[in-house]
Amino acid sequence: MPKDTSIKSILIIGSGPIIIGQACEFDYAGSQAARSINEEGIEVILINSNPATIMTDPSMADHVYLKPLTTKSIVEILKAHPNIDAVLPTMGGQTALNLCLEAEEKGIWADFNVRLIGVDINAINITEDREQFKQLLEKIGIPAAPAKTANSFLKGKEIAQEFGFPLVIRPSFTLGGTGAAFVHQKEDFDELLTRGLEASPIHEVLIDKALLGWKEYELELLRDKNDNVVIICSIENMDPMGIHTGDSITVAPAMTLSDTTYQKMRDMAIKMMRSIGNFAGGCNVQFAVSPDEKEDIVAIEINPRVSRSSALASKATGYPIAKIASKLALGYSLDELQNQITKSTSALFEPTLDYVIVKIPRWNFDKFEGADRTLGLQMKSVGEVMGIGRSFQEALHKATQSLEIKRNGLGADGKGYTNYEQIIDKLTHASWDRVFVIYDAIAMGIPLSRIHEITKIDMWFLKQYEELYLLEKEISTFKIDDLPKDLLLEAKQKGFADRQIAHMMGCLESQVYNKREEMGVKRVYKLVDTCAAEFEAKTPYYYSTFEAEIEKADGTKYVSNESVVSDRKKVVVLGSGPNRIGQGIEFDYSCVHGVLAAAECGYETIMINCNPETVSTDFDTADKLYFEPVFWEHIYDIIRHEKPEGVIVQLGGQTALKLAEKLDRYGIKILGTSFDALDLAEDRGRFSDLLTELGIPFPKFGIAESADEASKLADSLDFPLLVRPSYVLGGQGMKIVINKQELEEHVIDLLKSIPGNKLLLDHYLDGAIEAEADAICDGENVYIIGIMEHIEPCGVHSGDSNATLPPFNLGEFVMQQIKDHTKKIAIALKTLGLINIQFAIKDDTVYIIEANPRASRTVPFIAKAYGEPYVNYATKVMLGHNKVTDFNFNPQLKGFAIKQPVFSFNKFPGVNKQLGPEMKSTGESILFIEDLKDDQFYELYSRRKMYLSR
């Protein structure tokens, strides 16, 4: 049955600013949905308040509204577009579902004759209201954990008395496990119950018996209106029940499930989806399975929307769930749609994987001083990475190499824990680094049975770890010259990096690389094709692995490489790796635009990234996608295979920039600003010499490598001082100190966590105004795309400041200095592409704080506010395809745009919420105001002095 032709115009609700628990996986889903619906010739109207994402790009929909996600905004849009027939709320996470419910309760959809597609209100209510959900499961005969609902403190106490401890408290209608908690003992119950009731918008919690140690699984389903259901992917959590799935290490397909239990689980999931309402779309179901031979199954929850794991499942299988879900919502059935990867089979099929996927979350606890770092029911991670390999071990290693936490993989890097008490403690209280701690425990000789007893992680996973450790021990007995080929090949097949193998044998990484070349142990690339190579894939989406050589009848040997290199001129774009505080989705926005601009210039585009939540890793964004760690060894092999004209490093944040030195050293061309210029901007000594030469003022500073040097420097610089390590992102480790004792403590602390780093001490300009400028430069001409003034004073990190575009109270004299300084610096650094410069203004003098010759956090914001494709222009300049003077700049902005940071402090009760030079916000929203008399601006401005902390 084809699509519903009565639908001519659709409203898609986005998920708003990024917070812990709801990140850019919904931006990915929303972008896919908008494109998918647009292909059908249907008008798309989009509301989302997040300026950093590709989803709110003008190219994504017919009308994009960057407005607050409130029913007031919905009414404004429905009045402006009376032709809207339907609303799709399943692509914007919990935020969109909750807003949709609120609009339904107020009768807004009925007033404007708008219907819901992709889900129905009944399904949202049943799945979100814990009590209704429990009753439904009972009705359809699906087992659930013993549980009762409480909507008052007294009722909660009664339930606890009846069930006994341990218990789980789960608030209704919340996201990312907000307010959820384990209660192991009676003493903690009152406080955790109160927190749960407060976290739920309807003051209701479900109290259930804790299924501690049970195994956890998820299934991703799609259903059409003819009731066809496909299960796209099974996902197994390596961590047992008790850790939020967003904080769990997950594996696809499920590894330790018997086929009988898997079939039972499938039947239950399909039955659940069919019973929650009559709608066509996507759905995610979570189950717990008892860790014994009985394998009892208990349903935990069902989400009638695309979720965090559907982004993962899409990337894991190559099946674009959000894209197909939106078409199903329009009335298509699965058998009428095409498999997007093979282009020859239908979408009514279940992907088959001939590889393994491992997802590992990425945390940012260092940003939340005093935060409880143990993991539990409330999600705390800020991003995630995915590794693809031919085995669990290879995928696990690739995922750990993608995390960017200065580890080279599991073990074999000299950074493991060696203290028995510490290891046992970290295993007992699940911590963010448990993926490494398990390896350390095995290396220390702690028996697998003991590790299993403490962590309840399935024995199969622990044995996989043990094999890796035994291989490391065996390789350590050799020297590079006598290492047998089969052992080297085995280590590479199990994912060990050259650096790790070098560590095992006490030699250099380059020696291992050369040994591999000499022995012919080379990476080969395989397709992610959804069907285990049964049909030919038309989509170039690759991962790397190692294979033993195959010998033909005539004696020639070969390995099968599925990545065929074309003879077109190519450009590689390095992605930004996992999202974290200080480097978020705004760099994904820049990468996507960079890829599209390079394609317009006639290049074949190659994307390298390992973040499953983003649009840059969609299989049809670039001409070729390598889903690989943004890790030197992997990148170097891809570059040697593809032989591109050059590599773009300016768009992937600090992740890509950090690889510039190696690319330069290996003679690989960096497109855009040269490595020397990037280094000049990072090296404070060289940069200050340049500013002195140009006659541009900067705060007095000095460089210290020890507490002693710092103390001597303080005498000449005067307090307060801003202390920071060099080459860091998001203000990591920055602090303002006001006396020698504070200075000494911070310096010792920094040198302990980043040994051998040079520390910069700046005289801090107390009470100065902060501003920043972004510009495009072609080496000769400079165009300033935007100047923003921060509402908070100097000292609050620019990512945490409310900032206005254009500035609201900088005089003509100050503005002229900002423009002059920006142009001088951009040209002096021989910038090709984007540059961001930050200023402190005191007594009408403009001082330079820093310059970053790359895409910055604010570029997408400025592009959205002015309605101009600045990254597209900048990329064409980097490629030498255009000069700045070729573009006809025409910024459109009435009044002011304000960038408002959003924080996720509610995930960390008791943490210090004061702002300072280290960035803490997880996302941002955009607010348009007509003039400075606006109440919201007035409120922000009056609060600006509250925030400054040291």
Side-chain angles (χ1 to χ4, degrees):
M1 196 169 160
K3 72 171 185 194
D4 182 339
T5 50
S6 69
I7 300 176
K8 301 276 191 288
S9 177
I10 287 180
L11 171 68
I12 297 180
I13 306 177
S15 59
I18 285 178
I19 50 173
I20 291 178
Q22 185 170 277
C24 54
E25 64 276 356
F26 296 108
D27 175 57
Y28 162 68
S31 303
Q32 269 207 350
R35 282 166 53 196
S36 180
I37 291 169
N38 229 280
E39 282 171 1
E40 299 298 323
I42 293 170
E43 181 185 44
V44 174
I45 290 133
L46 191 65
I47 175 173
N48 196 0
S49 57
N50 187 342
T53 69
I54 196 80
M55 182 187 179
T56 51
D57 195 65
S59 63
M60 276 292 155
D62 298 288
H63 302 279
V64 176
Y65 284 94
L66 280 154
K67 282 179 172 289
L69 291 166
T70 59
T71 50
K72 183 178 171 227
S73 301
I74 297 277
V75 170
E76 282 172 24
I77 293 170
L78 294 175
K79 279 181 178 165
H81 299 272
N83 55 329
I84 291 177
D85 305 300
V87 58
L88 181 65
T90 52
M91 302 293 160
Q94 200 64 40
T95 301
L97 281 190
N98 287 356
L99 181 58
C100 177
L101 270 182
E102 193 188 327
E104 171 75 13
E105 280 162 17
K106 291 179 176 173
I108 294 169
W109 305 129
D111 290 350
F112 288 90
N113 198 19
V114 171
R115 60 190 163 118
L116 223 65
I117 56 171
V119 69
D120 56 30
I121 289 290
N122 192 24
I124 304 175
N125 279 323
I126 287 176
T127 54
E128 293 292 343
D129 185 318
R130 304 274 181 193
E131 183 60 34
Q132 280 196 50
F133 179 57
K134 205 167 83 11
Q135 287 167 357
L136 172 80
L137 291 180
E138 271 168 35
K139 194 173 105 188
I140 60 175
I142 287 182
K148 286 193 171 176
T149 312
N151 40 28
S152 74
F153 187 75
L154 205 61
K155 182 75 180 136
K157 296 280 279 189
E158 282 172 24
I159 297 167
Q161 203 170 319
E162 182 189 333
F163 282 174
F165 296 95
L167 291 171
V168 179
I169 296 176
R170 301 173 199 274
S172 296
F173 289 91
T174 61
L175 181 102
T178 302
F182 264 115
V183 192
H184 293 281
Q185 51 208 31
K186 199 171 154 189
E187 294 72 44
D188 304 332
F189 183 72
D190 291 10
E191 185 198 336
L192 296 171
L193 174 62
T194 309
R195 192 189 299 167
L197 287 166
E198 281 173 0
S200 165
I202 59 168
H203 300 292
E204 176 189 279
V205 296
L206 185 77
I207 299 175
D208 55 5
K209 198 87 180 109
L211 299 168
L212 285 174
W214 283 44
K215 288 153 67 166
E216 191 165 4
Y217 296 90
E218 295 181 67
L219 296 181
E220 290 296 329
L221 289 79
L222 277 175
R223 166 172 85 160
D224 65 22
K225 61 176 182 198
N226 298 341
D227 235 1
N228 293 313
V229 178
V230 285
I231 291 175
I232 306 301
C233 191
S234 64
I235 300 173
E236 174 167 359
N237 290 10
M238 189 174 103
D239 301 284
M241 284 285 292
I243 293 178
H244 189 283
T245 52
D247 277 353
S248 291
I249 295 158
T250 62
V251 187
M255 291 282 148
T256 70
L257 199 56
S258 70
D259 189 52
T260 338
T261 310
Y262 177 51
Q263 296 307 328
K264 263 194 235 162
M265 196 183 276
R266 289 171 57 94
D267 293 345
M268 284 183 183
I270 293 171
K271 194 173 183 183
M272 283 163 73
M273 188 174 187
R274 285 178 172 160
S275 66
I276 60 172
N278 185 23
F279 66 92
C283 180
N284 158 273
V285 194
Q286 289 172 23
F287 294 99
V289 173
S290 67
D292 50 25
E293 58 284 354
K294 290 203 301 226
E295 291 196 309
D296 292 326
I297 309 177
V298 164
I300 304 167
E301 65 178 11
I302 180 167
N303 291 308
R305 56 172 169 82
V306 298
S307 63
R308 184 179 313 100
S309 43
S310 44
L312 182 75
S314 295
K315 299 292 163 71
T317 58
Y319 190 114
I321 294 173
K323 200 172 197 176
I324 301 292
S326 347
K327 297 244 197 264
L328 300 179
L330 294 176
Y332 280 106
S333 60
L334 282 159
D335 49 344
E336 292 171 328
L337 297 170
Q338 212 181 37
N339 169 356
Q340 306 280 316
I341 294 256
T342 60
K343 308 276 191 198
S344 59
T345 50
S346 93
L348 183 58
F349 83 108
E350 298 195 348
T352 316
L353 274 56
D354 53 357
Y355 47 83
V356 181
I357 295 287
V358 172
K359 171 213 95 178
I360 304 181
R362 171 78 160 73
W363 290 269
N364 252 140
F365 287 122
D366 50 333
K367 299 286 183 188
F368 301 103
E369 232 173 285
D372 170 11
R373 295 181 175 215
T374 51
L375 304 179
L377 295 171
Q378 182 159 300
M379 184 172 160
K380 294 176 180 178
S381 61
V382 290
E384 60 188 33
V385 298
M386 181 176 103
I388 312 181
R390 271 291 161 96
S391 64
F392 167 70
Q393 292 163 326
E394 184 180 26
L396 181 69
H397 257 131
K398 284 169 87 173
T400 51
Q401 285 154 9
S402 303
L403 283 169
E404 292 180 46
I405 52 170
K406 301 191 172 70
R407 296 296 298 258
N408 298 326
L410 291 176
D413 63 359
K415 292 181 180 171
Y417 292 105
T418 50
N419 176 312
Y420 176 79
E421 272 76 29
Q422 194 178 16
I423 290 175
I424 293 291
D425 182 64
K426 278 187 164 285
L427 291 176
T428 311
H429 304 106
S431 58
W432 65 274
D433 54 359
R434 65 200 181 286
V435 63
F436 301 100
V437 178
I438 295 166
Y439 194 92
D440 300 339
I442 293 170
M444 179 169 268
I446 299 172
L448 295 193
S449 55
R450 175 88 173 109
I451 300 172
H452 170 69
E453 183 194 325
I454 299 172
T455 62
K456 300 288 188 284
I457 289 173
D458 192 280
M459 216 47 177
W460 184 85
F461 292 114
L462 299 180
K463 288 202 168 98
Q464 297 283 309
Y465 265 92
E466 187 180 49
E467 274 181 28
L468 289 174
Y469 175 65
L470 295 173
L471 180 61
E472 179 189 339
K473 258 176 61 175
E474 191 179 348
I475 292 174
S476 303
T477 61
F478 290 91
K479 284 276 167 273
I480 184 76
D481 300 329
D482 57 7
L483 180 68
K485 180 177 175 178
D486 61 338
L487 213 53
L488 178 58
L489 177 64
E490 187 186 349
K492 295 309 289 178
Q493 284 182 323
K494 290 186 169 175
F496 279 112
D498 290 352
R499 270 176 216 178
Q500 290 174 291
I501 299 169
H503 181 87
M504 295 172 202
M505 296 185 295
C507 64
L508 298 170
E509 179 184 1
S510 53
Q511 289 176 279
V512 177
Y513 189 85
N514 296 336
K515 183 84 173 171
R516 280 206 292 118
E517 286 287 297
E518 185 192 306
M519 288 179 162
V521 177
K522 293 183 183 175
R523 268 194 172 78
V524 290
Y525 297 97
K526 299 288 175 189
L527 274 164
V528 171
D529 60 8
T530 75
C531 53
E534 281 183 39
F535 300 93
E536 190 191 344
K538 298 276 190 287
T539 308
Y541 169 15
Y542 303 97
Y543 67 96
S544 74
T545 188
F546 287 85
E547 287 188 348
E549 289 171 326
I550 302 163
E551 192 166 332
K552 288 185 182 171
D554 61 4
T556 55
K557 294 179 177 179
Y558 77 102
V559 282
S560 150
N561 194 337
E562 293 173 4
S563 171
V564 180
V565 178
S566 74
D567 51 9
R568 291 177 60 195
K569 56 178 189 167
K570 308 171 188 60
V571 57
V572 166
V573 176
L574 290 186
S576 57
N579 274 11
R580 67 213 89 150
I581 292 176
Q583 184 171 292
I585 192 176
E586 59 281 351
F587 295 105
D588 181 59
Y589 167 92
S590 296
C591 286
V592 171
H593 272 291
V595 162
L596 300 176
E600 284 172 28
C601 297
Y603 286 90
E604 179 179 346
T605 55
I606 297 164
M607 185 74 216
I608 306 176
N609 204 1
C610 55
N611 185 340
E613 304 179 302
T614 61
V615 179
S616 66
T617 52
D618 210 352
F619 65 81
D620 57 359
T621 295
D623 292 317
K624 267 182 158 177
L625 165 67
Y626 284 95
F627 207 106
E628 291 283 282
V630 188
F631 185 81
W632 172 250
E633 179 184 323
H634 295 271
I635 287 162
Y636 187 52
D637 278 346
I638 294 167
I639 289 170
R640 289 196 60 183
H641 177 64
E642 289 284 354
K643 302 182 179 55
E645 304 286 306
V647 179
I648 292 180
V649 296
Q650 279 187 41
L651 303 175
Q654 207 69 19
T655 295
L657 220 52
K658 278 196 293 224
L659 290 156
E661 183 186 5
K662 270 220 147 148
L663 291 167
D664 187 61
R665 201 170 352 125
Y666 279 78
I668 296 157
K669 187 175 179 192
I670 293 171
L671 296 167
T673 310
S674 70
F675 166 68
D676 185 56
L678 298 173
D679 187 61
L680 173 56
E682 286 278 7
D683 183 327
R684 285 307 290 261
R686 288 179 69 195
F687 185 55
S688 305
D689 293 345
L690 176 73
L691 293 177
T692 310
E693 236 174 83
L694 297 171
I696 295 174
F698 53 92
K700 283 192 299 179
F701 84 102
I703 295 172
E705 291 184 37
S706 68
D708 207 28
E709 284 179 30
S711 181
K712 286 192 185 112
L713 257 176
D715 296 333
S716 60
L717 290 175
D718 300 333
F719 289 100
L721 290 174
L722 177 64
V723 184
R724 56 180 161 172
S726 51
Y727 285 94
V728 297
L729 183 96
Q732 187 193 334
M734 278 196 201
K735 196 167 187 181
I736 298 166
V737 295
I738 57 166
N739 58 38
K740 286 210 169 177
Q741 187 192 338
E742 279 192 1
L743 174 67
E744 189 176 300
E745 280 171 13
H746 190 53
V747 167
I748 290 168
D749 201 32
L750 275 179
L751 292 172
K752 199 165 65 188
S753 60
I754 319 176
N757 198 299
K758 286 182 177 165
L759 302 180
L760 310 169
L761 276 67
D762 292 74
H763 172 64
Y764 168 62
L765 296 164
D766 203 7
I769 294 171
E770 197 167 328
E772 58 186 304
D774 283 284
I776 304 174
C777 175
D778 58 18
E780 297 161 7
N781 311 289
V782 179
Y783 176 78
I784 296 175
I785 64 173
I787 297 172
M788 296 171 74
E789 178 183 355
H790 296 185
I791 292 176
E792 283 78 8
C794 191
V796 170
H797 189 280
S798 59
D800 285 353
S801 300
N802 287 281
T804 63
L805 179 78
F808 59 93
N809 75 347
L810 299 180
E812 199 47 51
F813 175 59
V814 167
M815 287 295 280
Q816 196 54 52
Q817 286 179 69
I818 289 176
K819 289 172 189 169
D820 294 346
H821 293 347
T822 303
K823 289 181 176 173
K824 273 187 186 170
I825 292 169
I827 288 168
L829 285 173
K830 303 186 179 69
T831 308
L832 288 175
L834 289 157
I835 184 165
N836 167 271
I837 303 177
Q838 297 185 11
F839 310 96
I841 300 138
K842 193 163 186 183
D843 304 330
D844 274 357
T845 302
V846 177
Y847 297 87
I848 303 295
I849 303 176
E850 62 179 341
N852 292 305
R854 58 168 170 85
S856 72
R857 192 174 301 105
T858 44
V859 167
F861 176 87
I862 296 170
K864 305 285 171 66
Y866 283 143
E868 290 270 79
Y870 292 128
V871 179
N872 180 296
Y873 297 163
T875 306
K876 289 173 178 172
V877 167
M878 282 178 228
L879 295 169
H881 192 271
N882 289 88
K883 289 278 190 202
V884 166
T885 44
D886 296 341
F887 301 108
N888 178 23
F889 295 102
N890 182 23
Q892 303 287 321
L893 173 65
K894 291 188 185 85
F896 296 84
I898 301 178
K899 175 179 78 75
Q900 296 182 290
V902 172
F903 300 88
S904 295
F905 288 131
N906 61 337
K907 299 284 177 188
F908 303 104
V911 81
N912 176 4
K913 296 183 177 62
Q914 285 181 303
L915 302 182
E918 176 143 359
M919 184 171 163
K920 293 178 179 176
S921 60
T922 52
E924 62 189 47
S925 62
I926 190 169
L927 172 71
F928 291 100
I929 58 170
E930 281 179 24
D931 55 47
L932 299 176
K933 296 187 189 93
D934 191 286
D935 288 349
Q936 283 167 289
F937 174 77
Y938 197 77
E939 190 192 339
L940 285 173
Y941 194 66
S942 63
R943 286 205 326 246
R944 75 191 186 285
K945 289 280 189 267
M946 265 173 50
Y947 285 118
L948 193 55
S949 78
R950 288 187 292 102

